[in-house]
Amino acid sequence: MNIRILEMPLDYGASRHGADMGPSAIRLAGVKERIEGLGHKAVQCFSPIQINPQEFESVGNPKAKYLAPIVRANTQLAEEVEKAASCGDFPLILGGDHSIALGSIAGLSAAYKKKGLKLGILYVDAHGDFNTDETSPSGNIHGECMSASCGYGLPELTNLYFDGQKVDPRNVCYVGLRSVDEGERELMKQAGVKAYTMTDIDRQGFNEVMRHVLRFFKQKVDVVHVSFDMDCLDPMYAPGTGYQLPAGMTNREALLLMEEMCDLGMVRSAEIVEVNPVLDVRNQTAAFAVDLIARLLGEKIY
């Protein structure tokens, strides 16, 4: 495949600075070389966005902080993602905070609507990111990106790139949830997303959860986008992320997840977000992000 690497050094959506350096850290960890070692062609695209340092922008709406620059940046990303998906390339977006999912999903949705294909989202995250400006306790847009992609929230977000819903929430599947706000929990249930929490993983076992996930996508959609937030992992394995919560996924579970999604044969795009080198230890979180990408793109142990 042609893997089109899109770097998105955007951290306006989060409270903690540093995720804007995530794409550079993943690049320095050898992502291009690893991809090409698998026989793919890696087409490097440095940041498609033009954005000022956060300190030079106004916070604006406290319930949707830095709304204007986030919309501008994600609109530019959506255009690049649509171009890549339309010509059959595999868009690989490196974040940045999770607000970049707004642009990724909008661009993919535009491309696949034209092809008549149904898009599904595997959202691997400790958080739901399903708040709106009415429910968000922080006003950080990285916590509002999935709800907006499903058509809930501020019109500036729900209508980003093109008017209307980008993905049917019934075609969204979460894995690894362990921190969900009360308001977003109710909205997620109302919207009809599928969710597997860390409690589900503990009770059922990771293999059983993955069987359900694979069946979910086979029955519902034509193509899948993997949106992977490094904070789904336990901080033991990913210290370099802005929201370190205990009792997360292990590195072995995350690698298995990526291998299973590769074998599914339906994944046509992915994003890795919330790598924060400021908090990392010898770039180990970025290096593990490269391991995850490699497994998703076909790397096997034997």
Side-chain angles (χ1 to χ4, degrees):
M1 290 187 292
N2 281 348
I3 312 298
R4 187 167 294 276
I5 303 171
L6 299 167
E7 297 189 5
M8 279 295 289
L10 180 71
D11 68 352
Y12 279 51
S15 294
R16 296 180 111 173
H17 289 317
D20 58 326
M21 294 182 282
S24 296
I26 297 171
R27 178 170 13 97
L28 292 170
V31 66
K32 185 174 185 286
E33 294 78 9
R34 194 76 165 271
I35 289 170
E36 291 179 337
L38 295 170
H40 303 298
K41 180 180 179 182
V43 181
Q44 194 91 32
C45 177
F46 300 108
S47 177
I49 62 171
Q50 298 295 324
I51 191 164
N52 295 323
Q54 193 174 125
E55 291 77 16
F56 293 93
E57 294 281 356
S58 170
V59 171
N61 183 352
K63 285 295 186 179
K65 297 173 183 175
Y66 300 105
L67 177 63
I70 287 174
V71 168
R72 285 198 306 271
N74 275 290
T75 299
Q76 291 173 310
L77 174 61
E79 184 177 356
E80 294 297 325
V81 169
E82 182 183 5
K83 286 178 187 175
S86 295
C87 71
D89 288 353
F90 185 109
L92 174 62
I93 305 100
L94 308 179
D97 68 61
H98 221 154
S99 68
I100 69 169
L102 289 160
S104 302
I105 296 171
L108 293 168
S109 179
Y112 292 132
K113 281 178 186 292
K114 292 174 184 175
K115 294 184 178 184
L117 298 175
K118 191 178 294 184
L119 174 65
I121 308 292
L122 175 65
Y123 209 78
V124 189
D125 200 328
H127 307 92
D129 295 350
F130 221 86
N131 276 299
T132 68
D133 59 307
E134 295 180 352
T135 65
S136 174
S138 68
N140 293 328
I141 289 179
H142 72 163
E144 303 176 19
C145 55
M146 201 61 236
S147 54
S149 297
C150 292
Y152 300 92
L154 290 170
E156 293 92 335
L157 298 178
T158 60
N159 294 327
L160 188 143
Y161 197 52
F162 66 86
D163 289 351
Q165 186 183 68
K166 307 306 184 291
V167 62
D168 186 334
R170 293 170 296 182
N171 295 333
V172 174
C173 183
Y174 285 84
V175 173
L177 289 174
R178 64 188 191 277
S179 177
V180 182
D181 296 319
E182 183 177 352
E184 70 176 336
R185 182 188 299 114
E186 294 307 312
L187 187 55
M188 290 168 74
K189 290 180 178 180
Q190 176 188 324
V193 303
K194 190 70 175 175
Y196 295 98
T197 67
M198 288 307 300
T199 300
D200 295 319
I201 291 172
D202 290 340
R203 284 175 174 162
Q204 300 178 37
F206 198 77
N207 283 343
E208 184 63 22
V209 167
M210 283 309 304
R211 278 194 283 270
H212 288 298
V213 171
L214 299 176
R215 189 182 310 121
F216 173 89
F217 287 120
K218 286 177 182 177
Q219 293 176 348
K220 285 181 168 288
V221 302
D222 302 305
V223 292
V224 178
H225 172 65
V226 175
S227 187
F228 195 104
D229 190 319
M230 295 300 286
D231 72 15
C232 73
L233 292 155
D234 192 276
M236 178 187 303
Y237 307 105
T241 188
Y243 294 85
Q244 300 172 349
L245 296 173
M249 288 168 56
T250 68
N251 53 356
R252 293 167 63 183
E253 289 168 338
L255 290 168
L256 176 60
L257 180 148
M258 290 305 216
E259 284 198 39
E260 293 280 18
M261 293 308 296
C262 176
D263 292 343
L264 177 65
M266 298 172 67
V267 177
R268 295 290 179 269
S269 57
E271 63 197 345
I272 303 285
V273 303
E274 302 285 359
V275 172
N276 190 328
V278 174
L279 303 170
D280 209 359
V281 179
R282 295 189 296 276
N283 213 31
Q284 72 179 73
T285 305
F288 189 60
V290 174
D291 291 339
L292 293 169
I293 291 165
R295 294 295 178 92
L296 182 64
L297 295 177
E299 184 177 85
K300 302 293 183 185
I301 295 172
Y302 184 74

